[in-house]
Amino acid sequence: MDLETGISQNHVKRESWKTVLTLAYQSLGVVYGDLSTSPLYVYKSTFADDIQHSETNEEIYGVLSFVFWTLTLIPLLKYVFIVLKADDNGEGGTFALYSLLCRHARVNSLPNCQVADEELYEYKKDAAATGLTPKTTFGSRLKSTLEKHRVLQRFLLLLALIGTCMVIGDGVLTPALSVFSAVSGLELSMSREHHKYVEVPVACIILIGLFALQHYGTHRIGFLFAPVVLTWLLCISAIGIYNIIHWNPHVYQALSPYYMYKFLRKTQRGGWMSLGGILLCITGSEAMFADLGHFSQLSIQIAFTSLVYPSLILAYMGQAAYLSQHHAIDSDYSIGFYVSVPGKLRWPVLVIAILAAVVGSQAIITGTFSIIKQCSALSCFPRVKIVHTSSKIHGQIYIPEINWTLMLLCLAVTVGFRDTTRMGNASGLAVITVMLVTTCLMSLVIVLCWHKNVFFALCFVCFFGTIEALYFSASLIKFLEGAWVPVALSFIFLIVMCVWHYGTLKTYEFDVQNKVSINWLLSLGPSLGIVRVRGIGLIHTELVSGIPAIFSHFVTNLPAFHQVLVFLCIKSVPVPHVRAKERFLIGYIGPREYRLYRCIVRYGYRDVHKDDMEFEKDLVCSIAEFIRSGNHEPNGTKADLESEDGKMTVVGTCCTRTDGIQLREDDVDNIESAGTSELREIRSPPVIQPRKRVRFRLPDSPKINRAAREELQELMEAREAGIAYILGHSYVRAKQGSSMLKKLVINYGYGFLRRNSRAPASTLSAPHASTLQVGMVYHV
């Protein structure tokens, strides 16, 4: 399936208010599940070890003031009003910022980039909106510096990968923390001896059920997500209002920044260390930006400012009002969330909290799947199996290997820590690291993409960077108390990403250095000096120009090939989506009578790849359209067809052309008698027991010449005979004289990842019965 209609939804800003409000309602379940459940554990984590709740209430008022201003400055000011505007054609997240910078500064790490990629609609839309050339002197110097120095480009990629790895680490920690905190409400309903034997098993059962249901897709139960989060937000805000009125109506005074000063003056080092707990009030803020592609800026802004933000502030004020009148702490949970809930409401609130925690966990799990797909598309993660769980909702995917890995790690964290304090320390470090990365990348976006004065970028990075650095230092000091977990997980994932990316680049460089000369091909003649058998041969290659070494290797050992050869390159470009009408780049290799074509299929990093049958049909139809449209140039031929990098033509998929060639395939027993006054048909001659009867339906005008008709006839006969996929299976080894580190990375690290990741055939969705692999040893 190819969800071409699921392209960026950024256009909803121009649609009706009804549409915007509907999206705002739906965003509650997808975007705000994690952020809305933070009141479950913020106060408990803050008052765990470093500070004590005293009769003067300076601590609780200071914490409330910190929570209020942190929620106001980071999610509201930074994300809602600034970062959301840095979308990549409607998409958000760490890789969206990196992709945006790649296009404006040409620092793309993908090796097979082409000038033709810059003619894509989403490239041009950027150029029309902002211009690709910075207008400031400093911006121009920064752009040229980034383009000249490979070290800076690698550092930029490393920064994006660190943020991505921390998001994956958050995907492990957030479900454990949210579910465990929600289940901890049981402690008020049973004895401490019984509680410690119930809490962990119940949390583990819920987590196992959550991950086990992932393969069904969130669209089946997604309609419940928004009502659950809405009910939870209304519930905590109502309880907050009750606590404020009943216990301390003057708690609003604590919103003054003066109470932050009093708090730090009294608690000093303990207060600074407790910031790691206060930090948890903004967990899930990054989801507003990361999930932007499913909604719109306006819908996310409306949902946060009108409902989520006020509800969270009321909830935290209500808890503070209750605690300000209750100082006798006789157990650990007396400062938690559930103790401030009226006794008669605790069981209903517990049920709603567990459901809200599951919804929040689902959002981060789905986000983890999405970001790994983006990394894999940009050659920064090993190929994995990607299952699209919905044919209607764009972006609903499931990755089995990642799902079960996350589940095992999540259970290990739950069983290993067994308390929210250490889980909170771990989650806080992951969250604040992602935010720091976003701040750094945003400062570059302000200069290079928005073309603002460097003063604005410095103000942005100094203001928000200072706040986040303060929280980062408070989280890092808890390294031995749980914060080591996201560091360890991120380090492992970062090593995997860097090894895969390095190995992929070296493999591509080998392909480029060993590609076959066009002169060698021309010397073979139209028959290529071998037997040409019926059918179409698709030779998969990463090269966008030249003839891959696999071709000469195959011909040397088996002197027979198909009558039509297509050198197929499936590549990702640094834009979220490629429109269907710009999907294919097609050109000749060598003279026209050789029947050798190059086809480059371009996908964005959030695009869905087609299945094999639809892909084959689109490919053949696009080649036919290229043959037809190529006849109207001077002298009937392209001037540069015999060059190695011949002229390529942009051709769309079948569904985008109403006035071009249409492909029709019928089983031999179901051939209809065709007759139409509008379209002429070229039919292939009858053959003995064909598998399919193929017809090209041609428009009346413009007319096509005889050579093109013969070429189309041959393409039809080849399609009827079937398509064979020829894939290179490379054994990558470090060449002699390489350093010990390179041998370790290539021979063992990259080799292990290649053996345990999906083969290129899975990317093509090539049927096994039609696939042939040609082995080669690559010394890189």
Side-chain angles (χ1 to χ4, degrees):
M1 57 187 172
D2 194 20
L3 307 183
E4 303 289 5
T5 57
I7 307 297
S8 167
Q9 301 201 21
N10 209 27
H11 64 277
V12 294
K13 293 184 291 187
R14 297 185 293 273
E15 294 187 356
S16 66
W17 277 101
K18 181 180 178 181
T19 304
V20 174
L21 293 177
T22 302
L23 285 174
Y25 170 73
Q26 292 173 347
S27 71
L28 291 176
V30 178
V31 178
Y32 297 110
D34 185 16
L35 185 61
S36 64
T37 55
S38 57
L40 288 170
Y41 43 78
V42 169
Y43 282 120
K44 188 173 182 179
S45 298
T46 304
F47 286 93
D49 300 313
D50 305 307
I51 56 176
Q52 299 296 323
H53 180 36
S54 66
E55 297 282 346
T56 63
N57 286 331
E58 287 186 354
E59 294 85 1
I60 191 65
Y61 286 166
V63 170
L64 174 60
S65 185
F66 264 105
V67 167
F68 171 76
W69 286 105
T70 303
L71 275 171
T72 302
L73 294 177
I74 303 299
L76 185 62
L77 181 59
K78 176 185 171 183
Y79 280 95
V80 170
F81 291 114
I82 301 177
V83 175
L84 283 182
K85 299 181 185 301
D87 64 299
D88 182 15
N89 294 296
E91 300 294 337
T94 305
F95 255 90
L97 287 177
Y98 177 70
S99 170
L100 204 60
L101 291 170
C102 284
R103 296 204 302 278
H104 284 80
R106 291 184 176 87
V107 294
N108 187 16
S109 61
L110 295 175
N112 53 0
C113 294
Q114 296 172 280
V115 176
D117 296 338
E118 298 181 13
E119 297 299 317
L120 289 169
Y121 170 74
E122 296 198 355
Y123 262 97
K124 288 184 174 180
K125 192 164 68 173
D126 273 346
T130 61
L132 291 177
T133 304
K135 299 175 184 176
T136 62
T137 306
F138 180 83
S140 301
R141 289 203 304 267
L142 179 61
K143 179 176 181 290
S144 61
T145 302
L146 282 173
E147 291 176 350
K148 288 178 183 176
H149 296 86
R150 293 287 298 173
V151 174
L152 294 178
Q153 296 176 23
R154 289 168 183 163
F155 176 76
L156 196 62
L157 175 63
L158 183 64
L159 193 64
L161 291 181
I162 289 173
T164 302
C165 291
M166 283 295 180
V167 170
I168 298 173
D170 197 27
V172 172
L173 297 165
T174 293
L177 177 60
S178 298
V179 172
F180 195 86
S181 300
V183 172
S184 65
L186 295 171
E187 61 193 354
L188 297 176
S189 306
M190 59 182 65
S191 65
R192 188 171 183 82
E193 290 75 18
H194 293 137
H195 169 255
K196 64 182 180 181
Y197 296 111
V198 172
E199 191 175 32
V200 174
V202 170
C204 289
I205 289 172
I206 293 174
L207 289 171
I208 291 172
L210 174 64
F211 284 99
L213 292 173
Q214 290 301 310
H215 70 279
Y216 290 108
T218 55
H219 66 285
R220 298 182 187 275
I221 53 176
F223 66 93
L224 292 174
F225 284 4
V228 166
V229 176
L230 178 62
T231 304
W232 169 251
L233 289 171
L234 295 176
C235 176
I236 61 175
S237 57
I239 293 172
I241 293 172
Y242 168 80
N243 284 331
I244 292 170
I245 296 173
H246 189 264
W247 295 110
N248 188 354
H250 301 289
V251 72
Y252 69 87
Q253 296 174 354
L255 302 182
S256 169
Y258 175 66
Y259 284 89
M260 291 192 290
Y261 166 73
K262 290 179 66 177
F263 170 77
L264 291 176
R265 186 181 63 182
K266 180 179 180 180
T267 57
Q268 296 181 0
R269 187 175 187 273
W272 167 63
M273 294 179 67
S274 69
L275 293 179
I278 297 173
L279 164 66
L280 298 177
C281 71
I282 54 175
T283 56
S285 300
E286 187 74 21
M288 285 191 286
F289 186 46
D291 293 325
L292 181 60
H294 300 295
F295 304 99
S296 66
Q297 292 179 20
L298 187 57
S299 63
I300 290 177
Q301 290 168 339
I302 289 174
F304 184 79
T305 54
S306 64
L307 182 61
V308 178
Y309 178 74
S311 299
L312 290 175
I313 297 300
L314 288 172
Y316 287 116
M317 288 177 65
Q319 287 186 64
Y322 177 88
L323 293 173
S324 67
Q325 302 300 318
H326 296 79
H327 303 95
I329 301 177
D330 53 358
S331 63
D332 292 339
Y333 57 74
S334 293
I335 204 143
F337 169 78
Y338 289 102
V339 73
S340 64
V341 178
K344 294 181 180 180
L345 297 177
R346 280 177 185 165
W347 279 105
V349 170
L350 175 66
V351 173
I352 298 172
I354 292 175
L355 291 175
V358 169
V359 171
S361 303
Q362 176 62 58
I364 192 68
I365 293 169
T366 303
T368 304
F369 291 158
S370 178
I371 202 164
I372 286 177
K373 177 182 179 293
Q374 294 177 27
C375 291
S376 182
L378 297 176
S379 301
C380 293
F381 199 85
R383 290 181 291 267
V384 290
K385 181 181 181 181
I386 297 175
V387 179
H388 297 275
T389 57
S390 173
S391 58
K392 297 180 180 178
I393 305 175
H394 183 73
Q396 295 290 345
I397 61 174
Y398 166 67
I399 305 177
E401 299 98 323
I402 301 300
N403 182 65
W404 302 121
T405 303
L406 288 179
M407 188 191 76
L408 293 176
L409 292 173
C410 203
L411 292 175
V413 167
T414 305
V415 174
F417 283 160
R418 300 182 212 174
D419 74 278
T420 55
T421 303
R422 286 185 290 177
M423 289 184 194
N425 293 337
S427 180
L429 184 61
V431 168
I432 199 63
T433 304
V434 176
M435 291 183 175
L436 275 170
V437 169
T438 300
T439 300
C440 295
L441 294 177
M442 267 301 302
S443 62
L444 293 175
V445 168
I446 291 172
V447 176
L448 295 176
C449 305
W450 293 354
H451 310 317
K452 302 294 183 183
N453 193 288
V454 67
F455 173 76
F456 294 105
L458 288 175
C459 289
F460 180 87
V461 76
C462 289
F463 182 72
F464 292 109
T466 301
I467 298 172
E468 290 162 0
L470 180 65
Y471 281 117
F472 180 79
S473 64
S475 297
L476 200 59
I477 204 70
K478 302 288 185 71
F479 185 82
L480 298 178
E481 299 171 33
W484 61 269
V485 172
V487 175
L489 290 175
S490 300
F491 181 75
I492 293 171
F493 280 105
L494 185 63
I495 291 296
V496 169
M497 289 180 175
C498 290
V499 168
W500 182 264
H501 187 67
Y502 177 76
T504 303
L505 286 180
K506 289 299 178 183
T507 304
Y508 183 81
E509 288 175 5
F510 181 89
D511 277 331
V512 171
Q513 293 167 2
N514 293 274
K515 61 184 179 182
V516 178
S517 168
I518 192 72
N519 294 325
W520 173 82
L521 179 71
L522 295 174
S523 67
L524 298 178
S527 68
L528 301 183
I530 56 176
V531 178
R532 301 292 290 269
V533 298
R534 296 183 69 245
I536 298 176
L538 291 183
I539 305 170
H540 182 254
T541 174
E542 299 294 332
L543 294 176
V544 294
S545 64
I547 301 168
I550 180 181
F551 179 75
S552 62
H553 185 67
F554 187 91
V555 169
T556 302
N557 292 278
L558 184 64
F561 236 117
H562 299 82
Q563 66 187 108
V564 175
L565 291 178
V566 180
F567 291 90
L568 179 66
C569 173
I570 298 179
K571 57 179 281 189
S572 294
V573 291
V575 294
H577 305 282
V578 175
R579 297 194 300 175
K581 63 174 66 176
E582 300 174 316
R583 177 76 67 212
F584 295 96
L585 268 178
I586 299 177
Y588 288 105
I589 297 180
R592 186 172 188 166
E593 59 270 19
Y594 282 36
R595 304 297 190 250
L596 267 67
Y597 307 92
R598 181 182 308 285
C599 180
I600 299 171
V601 189
R602 301 178 292 183
Y603 288 98
Y605 57 79
R606 288 186 66 96
D607 276 331
V608 180
H609 292 212
K610 288 193 170 186
D611 59 37
D612 55 334
M613 296 305 295
E614 284 295 318
F615 178 78
E616 287 180 5
K617 181 178 178 181
D618 269 345
L619 178 64
V620 174
C621 193
S622 298
I623 294 174
E625 178 64 21
F626 166 74
I627 294 170
R628 182 187 73 87
S629 62
N631 294 283
H632 313 297
E633 298 186 5
N635 301 323
T637 59
K638 293 183 172 64
D640 54 351
L641 285 183
E642 296 186 4
S643 67
E644 188 165 340
D645 298 315
K647 183 176 180 181
M648 306 289 286
T649 302
V650 177
V651 183
T653 57
C654 292
C655 61
T656 63
R657 297 189 306 271
T658 56
D659 57 347
I661 287 184
Q662 298 295 320
L663 176 66
R664 183 169 181 174
E665 297 178 347
D666 298 305
D667 293 332
V668 69
D669 297 329
N670 298 319
I671 296 180
E672 303 173 1
S673 57
T676 173
S677 58
E678 298 179 358
L679 297 178
R680 292 176 288 109
E681 298 182 1
I682 295 181
R683 299 195 185 191
S684 58
V687 294
I688 300 175
Q689 295 181 346
R691 288 181 294 177
K692 284 186 181 296
R693 181 66 58 86
V694 179
R695 293 180 294 177
F696 288 129
R697 299 168 65 86
L698 307 177
D700 281 330
S701 62
K703 304 292 184 181
I704 61 175
N705 60 27
R706 181 176 179 181
R709 294 177 67 87
E710 291 176 356
E711 195 172 353
L712 287 171
Q713 182 83 22
E714 193 167 347
L715 181 63
M716 278 190 301
E717 293 175 6
R719 177 66 185 99
E720 282 189 351
I723 294 180
Y725 293 82
I726 295 94
L727 309 175
H729 187 80
S730 56
Y731 297 87
V732 184
R733 294 288 183 270
K735 60 185 178 183
Q736 291 184 347
S738 300
S739 65
M740 185 62 66
L741 179 60
K742 183 176 180 180
K743 290 180 179 179
L744 182 67
V745 169
I746 296 296
N747 295 350
Y748 296 99
Y750 186 63
F752 174 80
L753 293 176
R754 280 178 65 89
R755 289 193 301 271
N756 292 277
S757 62
R758 297 276 163 171
S762 61
T763 307
L764 276 171
S765 298
H768 294 291
S770 305
T771 302
L772 177 66
Q773 290 193 343
V774 182
M776 283 188 67
V777 179
Y778 282 33
H779 292 285
V780 300

